[in-house]
């Protein structure tokens, strides 16, 4: 059973930055893709970015390219999401997830999830 825990959420001013962390209990050869999703109030959970443990290959939703960056530290079993130029519409609960398919963007394509961390962008 892979366990994930997100950290780093909080309140940030518009235009500010935040870095989220996702600590994973173990890395497995099967669940080799890590992803970040978010869910705003009243909206569906949406894919943001993914990365492979081996090689660090990344995949982003087009609308976030340039503002959000996913990275990983294999030694720490941690995946990060660096978020810059934050906007009020980025307010959501941010989740990390582990899956088996690199190009997967659907919620049901990821088997393990963290509990989420709240990000609020407001002045």
């Amino acid at each position: 059973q892979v366990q994930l825990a997100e950290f780093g959420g909080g309140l940030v001013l518009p235009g500010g930055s935040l870095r989220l962390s996702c600590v994973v209990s173990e890395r497995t050869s099967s669940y080799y893709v890590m992803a970040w999703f978010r869910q705003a109030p009243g909206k569906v959970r949406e894919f943001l970015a993914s990365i492979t443990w081996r090689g660090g290959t990344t995949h982003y939703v087009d609308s976030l390219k340039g503002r959000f960056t996913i990275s990983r530290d294999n030694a720490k079993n941690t995946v990060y999401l660096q978020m810059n130029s934050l906007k009020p519409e980025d307010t959501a609960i941010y989740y990390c997830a582990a899956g088996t398919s690199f190009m997967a963007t659907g919620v049901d394509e990821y088997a393990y999830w963290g509990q989420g961390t709240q990000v609020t962008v407001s002045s």
Side-chain angles (χ1 to χ4, degrees):
Q1 181 91 4
V2 178
Q3 296 180 324
L4 294 75
E6 301 94 339
F7 302 93
L11 175 64
V12 62
L13 294 172
S17 297
L18 209 58
R19 188 177 79 159
L20 306 181
S21 301
C22 172
V23 179
V24 183
S25 60
E26 62 179 296
R27 291 188 285 117
T28 72
S29 58
S30 296
Y31 297 95
Y32 70 100
V33 181
M34 297 297 300
W36 284 98
F37 286 74
R38 70 182 178 188
Q39 187 166 17
K43 295 190 176 182
V44 299
R45 193 171 298 188
E46 62 173 341
F47 170 85
L48 301 176
S50 62
I51 190 167
T52 58
W53 285 116
R54 183 176 181 179
T57 306
T58 58
H59 173 52
Y60 292 91
V61 64
D62 287 343
S63 60
L64 292 178
K65 282 183 180 177
R67 285 204 304 130
F68 289 14
T69 303
I70 191 171
S71 61
R72 92 278 190 236
D73 185 333
N74 288 20
K76 296 181 179 180
N77 281 5
T78 301
V79 177
Y80 303 98
L81 185 68
Q82 176 68 41
M83 305 185 294
N84 299 326
S85 302
L86 283 163
K87 308 173 183 178
E89 51 264 42
D90 293 318
T91 296
I93 299 175
Y94 284 70
Y95 298 89
C96 66
T100 60
S101 177
F102 173 61
M103 294 301 292
T105 60
V107 169
D108 56 359
E109 295 178 279
Y110 287 84
Y112 296 102
W113 292 83
Q115 81 288 350
T117 185
Q118 176 71 48
V119 172
T120 301
V121 184
S122 175
S123 56

